[in-house]
Amino acid sequence: GAVVSQHPSRVICKSGTSVKIECRSLDFQATTMFWYRQFPKQSLMLMATSNEGSKATYEQGVEKDKFLINHASLTLSTLTVTSAHPEDSSFYICSASWGYRWDEQFFGPGTRLTVL
Amino acid sequence: AQSVTQLGSHVSVSEGALVLLRCNYSSSVPPYLFWYVQYPNQGLQLLLKYTSAATLVKGINGFEAEFKKSETSFHLTKPSAHMSDAAEYFCAVSDNTGNQFYFGTGTSLTVIP
């Protein structure tokens, strides 16, 4: 149980386009979902926390207009990178938890975004 | 503010040997500490966590970690490495509200047959 999927696993796009990444909890209801960004050889950096039906809470330094997060249902959260640029290229990982249990996060496999 | 430092980005051990992955933390409040494992092309999986109960925490797959406040450490150990333990390991720290959650840079474990 407690499986989280992400789609797509890899995406390559042109500079200026928008890319949507989906995060789904397959066998449980995720009241809270987290989005992380991971640069090569660096830590996972928390970008934002979203609770179902509420606006996402962004970490300091993360542009909310750049990284749009929607948590419309208890099983789906989406991250849209708007007007992507090469510096947005990274590995994006989502996680999900139930009952607002941040210490019980189940991670997705990640999405590799490459912006040309 | 909180942070974690993982000493050694790459660790190699022989199969059957002791595994020791180091993690030191910095926290202005009593921390919650975690170890996660990431296998290739998979998500992170929680190995174990310390949330202010017993200082020696046992996790899955034979791993354990000991919280040492005096040394601000939370090192991960396993008595005997298996080939299947080869993966990336991340230490993470948070406060008791989850408002701040920080990962270390990760340690890649290689197990030599």
Side-chain angles (χ1 to χ4, degrees):
Chain A
V3 178
V4 176
S5 70
Q6 280 185 242
H7 178 79
S9 58
R10 292 177 182 270
V11 57
I12 300 173
C13 68
K14 293 182 178 180
S15 184
T17 61
S18 295
V19 174
K20 180 183 286 187
I21 302 170
E22 293 185 348
C23 177
R24 293 182 184 272
S25 56
L26 299 183
D27 51 3
F28 67 100
Q29 293 185 325
T31 49
T32 304
M33 286 187 169
F34 304 85
W35 286 96
Y36 295 86
R37 185 174 180 177
Q38 185 180 24
F39 292 102
K41 307 297 183 184
Q42 295 189 30
S43 301
L44 279 73
M45 181 192 76
L46 180 65
M47 299 175 66
T49 303
S50 70
N51 295 312
E52 184 266 337
S54 302
K55 288 185 178 180
T57 301
Y58 290 81
E59 295 299 300
Q60 189 173 7
V62 178
E63 300 175 60
K64 58 182 66 176
D65 294 331
K66 174 76 169 176
F67 300 99
L68 301 179
I69 292 172
N70 184 287
H71 191 168
S73 77
L74 286 171
T75 60
L76 173 65
S77 176
T78 60
L79 167 67
T80 301
V81 183
T82 61
S83 186
H85 291 285
E87 58 265 30
D88 299 324
S89 298
S90 190
F91 194 57
Y92 292 88
I93 302 174
C94 75
S95 70
S97 68
W98 56 54
Y100 305 99
R101 290 288 305 277
W102 56 270
D103 60 333
E104 288 281 352
Q105 298 183 49
F106 300 96
F107 286 81
T111 296
R112 175 75 59 191
L113 170 63
T114 302
V115 184
L116 302 177
Chain B
Q2 292 144 310
S3 65
V4 288
T5 302
Q6 291 184 243
L7 298 176
S9 58
H10 297 277
V11 171
S12 293
V13 299
S14 297
E15 189 175 16
L18 171 71
V19 176
L20 171 61
L21 304 182
R22 299 178 186 273
C23 174
N24 288 87
Y25 70 91
S26 172
S27 179
S28 56
V29 297
Y32 283 15
L33 293 157
F34 307 81
W35 274 101
Y36 288 88
V37 60
Q38 185 179 31
Y39 298 102
N41 301 313
Q42 295 187 30
L44 277 69
Q45 180 183 8
L46 180 66
L47 279 176
L48 48 81
K49 63 181 179 182
Y50 167 77
T51 55
S52 74
T55 57
L56 181 61
V57 182
K58 294 186 183 299
I60 61 172
N61 302 339
F63 285 94
E64 62 181 37
E66 187 172 8
F67 172 70
K68 292 186 177 180
K69 185 177 179 180
S70 61
E71 298 178 7
T72 61
S73 69
F74 191 59
H75 302 328
L76 181 71
T77 61
K78 182 174 181 178
S80 176
H82 294 168
M83 296 299 295
S84 60
D85 294 328
E88 188 84 15
Y89 291 81
F90 293 92
C91 181
V93 64
S94 180
D95 62 16
N96 61 3
T97 66
N99 289 330
Q100 295 180 324
F101 201 86
Y102 298 99
F103 282 90
T105 52
T107 297
S108 178
L109 176 66
T110 300
V111 181
I112 304 167

